[in-house]
Amino acid sequence: ELDQDGVDAVAGTRGVPDLLPRDLSSDTLDEVRGLLRALPAEEALAAGDVAAALGLHRVTARRYLEYLVTLHEVDAEALAVGPGRPRKTYRLRDDPGAARARP
């Protein structure tokens, strides 16, 4: 059985940071990370909250948050808050050691 570290060792990519997608900025990504790090551990934010705090569009904030989910830095949870679509919230992972190398 092979885990991600094993794949990285075989592929020769260990320690090589992920490349940031073209539509994301490293400065904005750092701002989103900083905002989430400043939260108490039990608190989570929706994309709209992050957008309002950083002066971004909600869709832009969601792209950054979803990218952090793919890096295993952030957990996402859908909360039912009444009729209609659930509200998706984001918080830093409890286990920061689980995060992969960051761009």
Side-chain angles (χ1 to χ4, degrees):
E1 194 170 310
L2 198 58
D3 62 3
Q4 186 62 48
D5 288 335
V7 172
D8 291 343
V10 171
T13 57
R14 175 173 282 150
V16 176
D18 293 341
L19 296 175
L20 194 60
R22 289 185 344 178
D23 61 337
L24 301 182
S25 154
S26 61
D27 291 337
T28 304
L29 185 61
D30 288 341
E31 288 180 26
V32 173
R33 281 182 177 134
L35 178 65
L36 293 173
R37 285 184 185 129
L39 294 175
E42 66 280 354
E43 191 172 339
L45 295 176
D49 301 325
V50 172
L54 299 178
L56 303 171
H57 290 281
R58 185 190 54 77
V59 173
T60 300
R62 185 175 50 81
R63 265 200 319 261
Y64 281 92
L65 291 163
E66 288 296 330
Y67 180 68
L68 290 172
V69 169
T70 66
L71 294 179
H72 306 287
E73 291 183 36
V74 170
D75 288 324
E77 181 179 10
L79 302 173
V81 291
R85 190 180 311 181
R87 182 176 186 213
K88 197 168 189 180
T89 60
Y90 302 85
R91 80 176 80 229
L92 284 180
R93 288 185 68 106
D94 293 333
D95 179 12
R100 295 175 34 204
R102 292 184 212 143

